[in-house]
Amino acid sequence: MVSKLTPPQPRAATSANIEKSALDESYPNSLMEEVVDDLNMETAWARVKANRGAPGPDGITVEMFPEWFQPRWQQIKVQLLAGTYRPSPARRVSIDKPDGGTRELGIPNLLERVIQQAIALVLTPMFDPEFSESSFGYRPYRSAQGAVKQIQKIIRDGRRWCVDMDLSKFFDLVQHDKLMAKVGRKVRDKRLLKLIGRFLRGGVMVDGLCQPTEKGTIQGSPLSPLLSNIYLDDFDKELEKRGLPFVRYADDFVIFTKTEVSARRVFRTVERFLVTRMKLKVNRDKSSLRNTDGLEYVGYEFHGYGGQIRVSKKSLARFHKKASEIFRRNRGVSMASRMKEFRSYANGWIAYFAHDGRKTTFIDLDKWLRRRVRACYWKDWCFPRTRVSKLMSLGISRQDALGFGCSRKGEWRLSMTSGVQRALSIEYLTTAGLVCLEERWQKFAPLRRTA
């Protein structure tokens, strides 16, 4: 997109350029040029486009953006390099949390998202290598599954107690001055520092009115994850200095100890550090000291002294809820469309929860899922004559088909009867496109063995 508009021109490797490059490497005060580089902007746009996010306050969609952007890029680039660019406010939306309550998100305009992503691409190689090895959230080549495996290792090393601490509205309480001071440790380009500050203070649109953002980072913006890791890095380093094993994923962290007494002491001192030094608030209602048996983290549970990994009950409940919505009996959507939608969801779900070591978890889900799908078919067939005809066409005898097809029992009850199960067999449902969760889980066996 950008490169087609302004093709990059090769620069001669003069002695002045070489000296300037050496100076920039030791004292990076020309980072804005790297941000607006055509290749960097192209990469940023590709990532924003892949996310397929909703439009910001200006209403410009992903499809509309290239045509809107190209004639304006040169002027925007001049403003960015001159330090005069001013971001537009983000659109504020509220979404429901899985455990109740709401989370406030900000949706910036696509232009702001591309610029923020371009900044993140430049700053990540500068900050990420020095982040803690126990930090797993929003980092290259790290994931929630890595956090899960590290927790299992810590438990197996004999840490039976933990401090499960929850930060209250972390993204809303980050102090801008403290955050900018941390960013300024490595970033010397005043134009870039000013721009990041403007993004932080850019405000949000609520009911058509712009509200200032005096603190916090906007959840939903491409730059926010990196800034949150920068802000919490001092906390990670403090825990490492104290020799405390811990795992952090974004603002969700667990600290491990060998005894309950140690856990109580750690809770007090860590809470004091977070409140006094980091200017954050600990949610005491959701924070606790506990034994590691039954600990829940990033959707998994850990059991026993070996830290056996399981899909958490809450995660299973969310899976049931989502699958029930897709295969709702009165939804009025073709089964082929439902199968396709569920296949997309299930592939991602299995890939995330592949570290659960119990085969029975996925066998039980498959049994429940097949029953749910059979109930959908039964509802779609609707009338007794149709049901009898369908059963007979699927190999059920006329006598059995009349018995099941004319029954007044509900779809859910009949979905477990022998006639419906023989007609809508596992082979039939597989041919129709239903994913077998247990088979998909088996494909991740090498990952579980080597992790």
Side-chain angles (χ1 to χ4, degrees), residues 394-422:
L394 292 170
I396 305 302
S397 68
R398 178 178 176 79
Q399 181 179 355
D400 286 348
L402 286 170
F404 293 115
C406 297
S407 173
R408 293 186 178 183
K409 293 177 181 178
E411 296 90 0
W412 185 246
R413 173 67 181 84
L414 284 163
S415 65
M416 66 177 295
T417 58
S418 62
V420 176
Q421 288 186 3
R422 281 184 285 130

Side-chain angles (χ1 to χ4, degrees), residues 46 55 133 142 178 240 251 254 341 345 352 361 392 415 437:
E133 289 296 313
R142 288 174 171 264
K178 292 182 71 66
E240 289 177 345
D251 61 329
V254 187
E341 182 181 353
Y345 170 74
Y352 185 88
T361 298
M392 291 178 63
S415 65
L437 303 177

Side-chain angles (χ1 to χ4, degrees), residues 311-441:
V311 180
S312 72
K313 296 179 181 64
K314 290 181 180 178
S315 298
L316 289 173
R318 286 194 288 270
F319 176 88
H320 279 84
K321 182 179 179 181
K322 179 65 176 180
S324 297
E325 291 174 357
I326 294 173
F327 293 110
R328 193 172 66 246
R329 295 193 286 277
N330 58 352
R331 190 179 175 193
V333 179
S334 71
M335 287 301 298
S337 297
R338 299 187 206 197
M339 294 291 191
K340 181 179 179 181
E341 182 181 353
F342 177 74
R343 188 159 53 248
S344 176
Y345 170 74
N347 287 338
W349 195 87
I350 289 291
Y352 185 88
F353 289 108
H355 284 290
D356 186 324
R358 293 183 305 174
K359 184 177 180 179
T360 54
T361 298
F362 303 92
I363 292 176
D364 292 343
L365 285 176
D366 277 327
K367 290 178 180 178
W368 173 85
L369 186 61
R370 288 192 290 267
R371 185 178 178 185
R372 185 83 196 181
V373 173
R374 287 171 181 141
C376 284
Y377 274 108
W378 200 251
K379 177 67 176 178
D380 287 348
W381 294 345
C382 194
F383 300 108
R385 179 180 296 179
T386 305
R387 290 173 174 175
V388 172
S389 175
K390 289 287 187 180
L391 289 174
M392 291 178 63
S393 70
L394 292 170
I396 305 302
S397 68
R398 178 178 176 79
Q399 181 179 355
D400 286 348
L402 286 170
F404 293 115
C406 297
S407 173
R408 293 186 178 183
K409 293 177 181 178
E411 296 90 0
W412 185 246
R413 173 67 181 84
L414 284 163
S415 65
M416 66 177 295
T417 58
S418 62
V420 176
Q421 288 186 3
R422 281 184 285 130
L424 299 172
S425 63
I426 296 176
E427 292 76 13
Y428 178 89
L429 296 178
T430 302
T431 302
L434 183 63
V435 174
C436 178
L437 303 177
E438 188 264 332
E439 286 184 2
R440 295 294 175 94
W441 174 81

Side-chain angles (χ1 to χ4, degrees), residues 127-413:
F127 285 92
D128 189 81
E130 296 184 10
F131 286 157
S132 170
E133 289 296 313
S134 298
S135 169
F136 290 88
Y138 310 123
R139 296 182 60 189
Y141 313 111
R142 288 174 171 264
S143 64
Q145 290 85 347
V148 168
K149 296 303 293 184
Q150 180 150 321
I151 288 177
Q152 183 183 55
K153 182 179 183 301
I154 293 173
I155 293 174
R156 288 177 174 177
D157 286 343
R159 308 281 174 163
R160 303 283 184 256
W161 284 85
C162 65
V163 175
D164 187 3
M165 193 168 284
D166 182 84
L167 295 178
S168 179
K169 297 184 177 181
F170 164 75
F171 287 92
D172 298 331
L173 297 178
V174 170
Q175 302 291 315
H176 289 171
D177 55 345
K178 292 182 71 66
L179 174 58
M180 292 306 301
K182 297 176 191 297
V183 175
R185 293 172 185 172
K186 290 182 175 293
V187 177
R188 299 290 187 267
D189 193 322
K190 293 183 179 179
R191 297 166 299 175
L192 184 54
L193 288 172
K194 186 185 295 184
L195 180 60
I196 295 173
R198 285 174 176 170
F199 275 123
L200 291 173
R201 299 185 298 272
V204 292
M205 298 296 295
V206 181
D207 297 328
L209 299 175
C210 181
Q211 295 183 358
T213 48
E214 298 177 354
K215 57 183 177 180
T217 64
I218 297 178
Q219 279 187 274
S221 67
L223 194 54
S224 182
L226 175 62
L227 293 179
S228 66
N229 277 331
I230 292 173
Y231 193 85
L232 288 172
D233 187 54
D234 284 354
F235 173 66
D236 296 343
K237 296 298 192 293
E238 178 67 18
L239 295 179
E240 289 177 345
K241 186 173 70 174
R242 298 184 188 186
L244 295 171
F246 73 99
V247 170
R248 181 174 68 81
Y249 190 89
D251 61 329
D252 190 4
F253 61 90
V254 187
I255 307 169
F256 296 86
T257 65
K258 290 186 176 181
T259 66
E260 182 179 3
V261 173
S262 299
R264 293 187 183 281
R265 183 183 68 252
V266 168
F267 188 99
R268 289 194 303 269
T269 58
V270 167
E271 182 183 31
R272 184 164 59 246
F273 181 86
L274 288 169
V275 173
T276 59
R277 294 277 298 276
M278 305 294 294
K279 306 300 180 184
L280 298 173
K281 183 179 180 181
V282 175
N283 187 337
R284 278 186 159 265
D285 293 334
K286 294 185 178 180
S287 301
S288 63
L289 311 172
R290 55 163 304 148
N291 192 280
T292 56
D293 186 28
L295 170 67
E296 182 179 346
Y297 192 73
V298 294
Y300 282 93
E301 286 180 359
F302 302 86
H303 295 275
Y305 289 162
Q308 289 84 4
I309 300 171
R310 305 284 185 263
V311 180
S312 72
K313 296 179 181 64
K314 290 181 180 178
S315 298
L316 289 173
R318 286 194 288 270
F319 176 88
H320 279 84
K321 182 179 179 181
K322 179 65 176 180
S324 297
E325 291 174 357
I326 294 173
F327 293 110
R328 193 172 66 246
R329 295 193 286 277
N330 58 352
R331 190 179 175 193
V333 179
S334 71
M335 287 301 298
S337 297
R338 299 187 206 197
M339 294 291 191
K340 181 179 179 181
E341 182 181 353
F342 177 74
R343 188 159 53 248
S344 176
Y345 170 74
N347 287 338
W349 195 87
I350 289 291
Y352 185 88
F353 289 108
H355 284 290
D356 186 324
R358 293 183 305 174
K359 184 177 180 179
T360 54
T361 298
F362 303 92
I363 292 176
D364 292 343
L365 285 176
D366 277 327
K367 290 178 180 178
W368 173 85
L369 186 61
R370 288 192 290 267
R371 185 178 178 185
R372 185 83 196 181
V373 173
R374 287 171 181 141
C376 284
Y377 274 108
W378 200 251
K379 177 67 176 178
D380 287 348
W381 294 345
C382 194
F383 300 108
R385 179 180 296 179
T386 305
R387 290 173 174 175
V388 172
S389 175
K390 289 287 187 180
L391 289 174
M392 291 178 63
S393 70
L394 292 170
I396 305 302
S397 68
R398 178 178 176 79
Q399 181 179 355
D400 286 348
L402 286 170
F404 293 115
C406 297
S407 173
R408 293 186 178 183
K409 293 177 181 178
E411 296 90 0
W412 185 246
R413 173 67 181 84

Side-chain angles (χ1 to χ4, degrees), residues 65-80:
F65 183 73
E67 184 177 354
W68 176 91
F69 176 80
Q70 288 188 6
R72 295 170 172 83
W73 168 233
Q74 287 301 325
Q75 181 181 357
I76 295 168
K77 183 176 182 179
V78 170
Q79 293 175 354
L80 289 169

